[in-house]
Amino acid sequence: MPKQIHLAAHFPGVNNTTVWSDPRAGSHIEFDSFGTLARTAERAKFDFFFLAEGLRLREQGGQIYDLDVVGRPDTFTVLAALAAVTTHLGLAGTINSTFNEPYEVARQFASLDHLSAGRAAWNVVTSWDAFTGENFRRGGFLAESDRYSRATQFLAAARELFDSWPADAIVADKDTGVFLRNGSAGSFRHTDDQFDIAGRFNVPRGPQGRPVILQAGDSEAGREFAAATADAIFSRHGTLVEGQKFYRDVKRRLPAYGRPEDSLKVLPAATFVLGDTDADAHEKAAVVRRQQVSGATAIKLLEQLWNRDLSGYDPDGPLPEIDPDVSGDHIARGRASVRMHRDPIAVAAEWRARAEAEKLSIRDLIIETTNRQTFIGAPDTVATAIDDLVQQDAADGFILVPHVTPGGLDEFADTVVPLLQERGVFRTEYAGPTLRHHLGLEVPA
Amino acid sequence: MSTALHLAVALDGTGWHPASWRLPSARPAEVFSASYWADLVRLAEAGTLDFVTIEDALGLQTDRLDGPDERTDHVRGRLDAVLIAARVAPLTRHIGLVPTATVTHTEPFHIAKALATLDHVSRGRAGWRVQVSGRAHEAGHFGRRTLPVLDPAAPDREIVADLFAEARDHVEVVRRLWDSWEDDAEIRDAATGRFIDRDKLHHISFDGRYFSVKGPSITPRPPQGQPPVTALAHAEIPYAFAARSADVAYVTPTDAAQARKIVSQLPIPHVFADLVVFLEESEPAARDAHERLDTLDGTAYTSDAAIFTGTPAQLADLLQEWRAAGLTGFRLRPARLPDDLVGITGGLVPELRRRGAFRTAYEAATLRGLLGLSRPANRYAVAEEARVA
């Protein structure tokens, strides 16, 4: 039997992948948008719905960034509401381990798991930046090097809380008057560098035992953290060669933690553009990329590498002659991607050379370097590409990021999913009620 | 002055009497399921009640002052109240949803966006019951501070004042964050490529004794602008807190004279009395129901609020008498769920309607609307107009 594919729907994010100027684009805050996308994902038998989070509005050049979608809901609250309009779809939320406390987060996830009858998942992220910390009473105290130890200890504390109620703790026998089997249910004590907490947890064990754990870090420490603790990795390596390399790298780390290979799913993020024919899809994809990278956006993205105010440059003109500023604080704040450029001067030189050789303007170059969609083609082409990547162990499935809210998944659900089902690599019905069932994960002891 | 009154119910477990879970109609094994809460809130909505509150705490229920008990014969454990409210929101259309959220150990930034989102999800029906935690064992769940065990009969005044000063700052930050987006901040201007007008987003730059918060919120302004803030208050310091920070206070008088006196200390739109209720067709039946539960529990139930035991008509008499003393509404605590909630919606509500003292249909789409509160102007937008003038 071929490997079964896992699919998730990412609610379009607050970045330039999301084309808010599309005439079909809906609200990013009204509940109907979340409900619509979630229902589409459930109709298509997806594993889960995914919500990202960022706890401070992004700024660039000292001003709130205004070219992308701005504004998001509270993660837990919107997922709990989605549990009311779906029945099987997993509900995954990104929650930061730096600006929260284990007792509170554990009771929110345990509550979500009860209220969704076993569909909660937690994408654990870490951050340390004082910029985001300015929104929090306990913000900005973490050194970058401490962020994974904070995350590891946070997750360990949360696990102790999830495990503090035995599955059979509640008897609720009206005749004998016994509600709790044992009067010490929920007792815990956790002490380490980050936390010194003890007492009684107040939410009984959820249907999944613990929520499914997702992790998105790509660094050495992040990969090790995922191998030790996560049920799925949200990766950014969606191509065959890069994907296989990443896949092998994280799976080989599992035996050291006594874990079988299939206990950690690798799910790269993926964008897509569909068309009636491959040529039609490529044409559409080019249009979408120009929508995603307006002239103004191209300059702002270029500034993120150059770390300078480039507002005087023409997006349809050549790249700046001056080099990036590597001396001071970064011009863009509240964004993880700015750390990806390890050597800005070298990257700038590379970009300049490419722009000259291929006669690319600033906008052309930004489009070429930042925004190529993962899957472009007719439905059959895309279904084949997804299936090949999964069967060749470049991934266990994908977290799909539509570029239009909330209808951007409709076409995929209607055309690609049936083809994957015909191939026998994607479920036609949910086999069980919980997200652990969908992902083939054991309920933890 | 109108004689109509407002009605809310306080939902907690299987009801407020600790032995209520043992009654035939109780569903104790289901209090951790969504359908349990959906059924109760739909029932309350069928009775056109203003809102439900949902109890919560950052610790396990206990009968002891100094920490958790080891009792196995009472309901223990609960779900997060904000999430229960959110789970129920898409299943209801009119009723206000007022979860309890503690301010003592929590981040105002998280609470502001959670309640703003509840307001978006419910299209303007969110409220907040602010709760201060003076419990030493709850502080131990966070490990950031230690609190001595407070005797509710004679609490340490300095500690209480400090906890409520922190609560006041917390609510202030939440209210500012709700206003940190002006209503028309989202412009989607294709010509300039701007999604928002950033001049209409505001740093709140709160800098207080307990915390500082920069803002703006990540969540756009809630549909109601400011969801109603409510608080239970029993004494002078909490009264002062409610007077400054809340739109609705819940108080616990034992008679009309006392109610009148408390109301005079609370110059806010609404003062509701809390009452635990046992409702039956006859007064002896209600007394009998109450006594049977006390016997089952082995002890007489006591409460911070007055306990009413009688018929819906008798309760209507009492509410109207207290209404005349200046209270604007009542938060009824059903001793037994669902029985006393059914008594409220099926007995008390029709009785009050016959007397012209309660709505016959929902007259507004938002909780503020039901409470007769207008949608407030944004403090930052107002400040801007003032500057221009």
Side-chain angles (χ1 to χ4, degrees), chain A residues 8-20:
Chain A
H10 188 305
F11 190 80
V14 295
N15 50 51
N16 72 300
T17 301
T18 305
V19 180
W20 56 258

Side-chain angles (χ1 to χ4, degrees), chain A residues 26-332:
Chain A
S27 171
H28 271 255
I29 195 65
E30 284 170 19
F31 181 63
D32 281 352
S33 290
F34 297 90
T36 299
L37 182 63
R39 278 189 294 256
T40 304
E42 183 160 270
R43 169 165 70 80
K45 315 295 176 199
F46 273 36
D47 292 68
F48 59 91
F49 174 95
F50 182 93
L51 207 54
E53 186 181 68
L55 295 170
R56 179 139 183 205
L57 298 186
R58 292 164 173 179
E59 291 185 7
Q60 189 155 330
Q63 289 192 297
I64 291 170
Y65 192 85
D66 59 3
L67 300 180
D68 295 336
V69 169
V70 183
R72 323 173 182 249
D74 177 67
T75 302
F76 286 116
T77 311
V78 87
L79 292 181
L82 285 175
V85 299
T86 53
T87 56
H88 287 77
L89 186 68
L91 301 167
T94 302
I95 291 294
N96 194 297
S97 63
T98 307
F99 303 115
N100 283 290
E101 297 292 331
Y103 194 92
E104 211 182 354
V105 167
R107 72 187 302 272
Q108 288 168 313
F109 271 115
S111 296
L112 179 63
D113 206 40
H114 282 286
L115 292 169
S116 64
R119 298 187 279 137
W122 174 12
N123 179 35
V124 186
V125 298
T126 70
S127 60
W128 70 93
D129 63 299
F131 176 69
T132 305
E134 284 177 354
N135 281 336
F136 296 95
R137 57 161 82 193
R138 290 185 277 275
F141 57 88
L142 208 57
E144 179 173 1
S145 56
D146 286 340
R147 64 191 185 117
Y148 276 106
S149 60
R150 164 90 182 182
T152 302
Q153 290 168 7
F154 192 110
L155 196 53
R159 277 189 173 212
E160 283 170 41
L161 294 168
F162 294 133
D163 287 348
S164 67
W165 284 70
D168 62 352
I170 292 166
V171 182
D173 185 330
K174 293 178 182 179
D175 295 334
T176 59
V178 175
F179 185 83
L180 279 189
R181 192 176 306 280
N182 185 318
S184 63
S187 297
F188 72 94
R189 172 172 294 282
H190 180 94
T191 308
D192 58 31
D193 306 346
Q194 293 284 337
F195 306 105
D196 182 8
I197 56 176
R200 301 277 297 276
F201 189 51
N202 68 350
V203 184
R205 192 170 180 81
Q208 294 189 105
R210 298 192 289 260
V212 169
I213 301 296
L214 276 67
Q215 212 278 326
D218 196 47
S219 64
E220 175 66 23
R223 293 179 189 201
E224 207 58 35
F225 175 63
T229 60
D231 299 304
I233 299 188
F234 180 5
S235 99
R236 55 168 189 260
H237 305 289
T239 60
L240 180 63
V241 175
E242 286 300 304
Q244 285 177 330
K245 203 171 130 199
F246 180 81
Y247 193 95
R248 276 195 304 272
D249 180 75
V250 293
K251 298 256 176 174
R252 75 168 169 79
R253 297 170 193 255
L254 292 170
Y257 299 99
R259 302 182 59 186
E261 280 215 350
D262 62 355
S263 67
L264 176 64
K265 309 296 179 196
V266 176
L267 306 174
T271 52
F272 59 91
V273 175
L274 297 165
D276 293 338
T277 63
D278 287 355
D280 175 39
H282 279 278
E283 220 170 276
K284 279 191 193 165
V287 172
V288 171
R289 290 199 295 271
R290 292 195 82 75
Q291 290 177 318
Q292 290 169 328
V293 184
S294 66
T297 294
I299 295 294
K300 290 293 178 189
L301 293 179
L302 197 69
E303 286 183 350
Q304 289 172 19
L305 176 63
W306 255 257
N307 201 26
R308 292 179 186 279
D309 177 357
L310 303 176
S311 55
Y313 284 80
D314 176 2
D316 296 319
L319 271 69
E321 293 296 328
I322 52 165
D323 274 331
D325 177 0
V326 292
S327 62
D329 285 348
H330 204 280
I331 192 169

